[in-house]
Amino acid sequence: MRERVDASSGLVLRRWRAEDARAVMTAFADPLMRGQADEPVDSLQAAERWTTARGRGTASRACRAVARWAFDDTELFRLELGHRVNDPASCTGARAAGFAVEDRQRQKLEYDGVRYDVELHARLATDTEPVSWW
């Protein structure tokens, strides 16, 4: 997996770092952001916990929340989620969020000249809400 992605607009996507904690804390001062976390992110320690959330179910909880919003508030019926097949953590998160595996899309994504297969997951508004295990 690449360490960073540079977009033409100047946007840079990369993994969180401990030194990002102050920026995260500042972002959570915004009332719209406060509802995005189970616990207040009002100190550097809380922000550091936010930046080191990998492997604790954060992504799957976020996917569940977005799915619930999409089904309830926007009345969408079907959501799709895809991940590279060489990323088992994303598959675990997708399944935990209630997205069922449907298909493999061969060589769909290209990063740095290498093509990757994508596993397609989907969730329907009529699917049973997944059981939380964390």
Side-chain angles (χ1 to χ4, degrees), residues 68 71 77 79 98-100 102 122-130:
R68 194 74 272 137
F71 295 143
F77 180 76
L79 301 175
F99 285 75
E102 288 195 338
R123 184 169 164 190
L124 306 178
T126 54
D127 288 345
T128 304
E129 192 69 26

Side-chain angles (χ1 to χ4, degrees), residues 110-130:
E110 180 182 355
Y111 295 109
D112 298 327
V114 177
R115 297 213 62 89
Y116 295 91
D117 288 359
V118 169
E119 187 169 73
L120 178 67
H121 295 245
R123 184 169 164 190
L124 306 178
T126 54
D127 288 345
T128 304
E129 192 69 26

Side-chain angles (χ1 to χ4, degrees), residues 43-86:
S43 68
L44 281 178
Q45 288 177 324
E48 286 171 358
R49 284 194 300 276
W50 182 265
T51 62
T52 58
R54 188 170 177 84
R56 295 192 337 227
T58 303
S60 57
R61 284 198 313 272
C63 283
R64 288 173 65 163
V66 168
R68 194 74 272 137
W69 169 81
F71 295 143
D72 294 347
D73 293 0
T74 68
E75 299 179 0
L76 291 176
F77 180 76
R78 178 183 171 85
L79 301 175
E80 294 182 358
L81 180 156
H83 65 84
R84 292 189 333 226
V85 296
N86 65 337

Side-chain angles (χ1 to χ4, degrees), residues 8-27:
S8 60
S9 65
L11 176 70
V12 176
L13 302 175
R14 61 169 172 73
R15 291 182 188 258
W16 289 108
R17 298 181 191 145
E19 58 265 25
D20 296 326
R22 187 165 301 284
V24 169
M25 189 176 75
T26 300

